[in-house]
Amino acid sequence: MKGLFENKKLLADLCVILALLLLAGGLALALRLGREAGGQAVVRVDGRVTERHSLAENGVYPLNGGSNILVIENGEAWLSEADCPDHLCVKMGKIRYNGQTITCLPNRLTVTVEGGESNGVDFVVGG
Amino acid sequence: MKAKRVTVMAMCIALALILSYVESQIPSPGIPGVKLGLANLVVVFALYRLGWKEAAGISLLRVFLVSLLFGHAASLAYSASGAALSLVGMILLKKWDRLSCVAVSVIGGVLHNAGQILMAWALMGANVVWYLPVLLLSGTVAGVAIGVVSAILVKRIKL
């Protein structure tokens, strides 16, 4: 490995890498402390809200003309089916906290957990 | 010399396309944007061995061709914004000349993710703050891997 880094720059490199890792850790911690269970799953297509479903009621909802299937159970929401080739949105798993989002890029569709009554403020990062 | 430069650039683009294809065969862990960025190897190499204009040309042509060949309609905007932000960052850092190509590649990887996140936010109003930590982490780790290999390539391959 010697000579791989130009030596005078090695320290600067390590500082940059360490700083980025610390930033990632700090952000993760802030988000974890600030999270709270949300009240509803808000569905957006092309950035416009098309549907809202309470997380308190279990249900299965076809979205966007059936391109994706939204399932809500025990306060969690996830997409069980999608007609896109990569199925990334299905693999993204279950969401339950305010601000968490499932994204389906091919169908330009997002599902976001938001607070029960509040409109406007989507998410607050706690200290 | 000009013919050689054109040939080398064409080979770099071809290599970047193959690397993008290889990467598309690696199963995704389920979070958009978490990937190795193999094609960035070629871009970092080109930046150090050919020059910033060549690196920019290779990167942007690669993005365009990849979205034609393997992508869907929506992928071009995301890849292009990621690639452009990453390129600008890496070119400026190289000019600054305080970091080696490992850290340049790391920041390039992180900026690539940042560009995609910004585009997702702009296009869909998606709440992207949740992805930041995991994308920062994955961008950094992938950037270190790509950067170390790039450093070896830059050192060994003289054009």
Side-chain angles (χ1 to χ4, degrees), chain A residues 1-6 8-10 12-13 16-17 20-21 23-25 27-28 31-32 35 44 46-48 85-86 88 91-92 97-106 108-110 112 122-123 125, chain B residues 27-33 48 72-75 78 97-104 106-107 110 120 123-134 136-137 140-141 144 147-149 151-153 155:
Chain A
M1 295 291 275
K2 191 164 180 273
L4 192 62
F5 298 89
E6 296 147 71
K8 60 180 168 29
K9 294 175 181 170
L10 175 62
D13 276 16
V16 166
I17 294 164
L20 287 171
L21 291 177
L23 186 62
L27 261 174
L31 289 174
R32 187 159 281 266
R35 72 185 181 181
R44 286 184 178 83
D46 275 330
R48 283 189 304 275
D86 54 13
L88 269 180
K91 288 183 208 157
M92 284 171 77
Y97 297 106
N98 268 348
Q100 282 184 307
T101 302
I102 296 173
T103 308
C104 177
L105 293 185
R108 295 192 298 281
L109 177 142
T110 64
T112 308
D122 279 347
F123 186 76
V125 178
Chain B
S28 162
I31 304 164
Y48 278 82
H72 42 76
S75 63
Y78 296 94
D97 199 31
R98 296 285 294 276
L99 302 168
S100 84
C101 77
V102 176
V104 170
V106 167
I107 294 175
V110 169
L123 285 186
M124 298 192 299
N127 196 320
V128 289
V129 69
W130 280 92
Y131 295 140
L132 282 174
V134 68
L136 259 176
L137 182 66
T140 306
V141 172
V144 169
V148 168
V149 178
I152 296 171
L153 289 177
K155 203 171 141 63

Side-chain angles (χ1 to χ4, degrees), chain A residues 63-94:
Chain A
L63 303 179
N64 192 27
S67 71
N68 304 68
I69 309 282
L70 171 70
V71 180
I72 295 178
E73 209 174 293
N74 303 325
E76 293 181 312
W78 68 94
L79 293 177
S80 65
E81 276 177 52
D83 63 3
C84 52
D86 54 13
H87 284 79
L88 269 180
C89 57
V90 175
K91 288 183 208 157
M92 284 171 77
K94 302 177 177 182

